[in-house]
Amino acid sequence: RTLFPYTTLFRSDGPKPDQQFYDLVGRAGSLVSPRTATEIVNASKRCRKQAINDSGEIATVEQKGLAIECQAFTRDGGATIISVFAE
């Protein structure tokens, strides 16, 4: 898989990001991907959910024109880190 060099990285401290965090991910992600902000928000939420449920705390969601990688955990107060790539 070849990713374009464009990426955006977001971090939210705490056990669960608020909607403003996801709105920022969606708006900025739509600048580097042909997907809409709403599609990016939905994919980001799915990615976080998968990462929380994964013992390695990492997940990836791919769609045409978009790849989202995230790390999410609740230990030590929790955090969510999301990277958005145009694919």
Side-chain angles (χ1 to χ4, degrees):
R1 128 183 133 159
T2 303
L3 297 178
F4 291 103
Y6 307 104
T7 182
T8 54
L9 176 68
F10 304 93
R11 178 183 174 105
S12 174
D13 291 326
K16 187 172 181 183
D18 60 19
Q19 188 58 43
Q20 288 179 322
F21 171 79
Y22 285 112
D23 289 345
L24 175 62
V25 171
R27 284 192 312 270
S30 68
L31 297 174
V32 299
S33 169
R35 305 305 290 240
T36 67
T38 300
E39 291 171 317
I40 294 168
V41 166
N42 292 336
S44 296
K45 288 180 177 181
R46 274 196 319 277
C47 190
R48 182 189 181 277
K49 184 177 180 179
Q50 290 174 14
I52 285 288
N53 293 326
D54 183 82
S55 62
E57 303 175 339
I58 294 177
T60 302
V61 170
E62 295 183 15
Q63 299 175 350
K64 184 176 181 179
L66 174 69
I68 295 181
E69 295 178 356
C70 57
Q71 178 181 13
F73 52 90
T74 55
R75 62 178 165 70
D76 301 325
T80 299
I81 302 149
I82 297 177
S83 299
V84 180
F85 304 90
E87 190 168 57

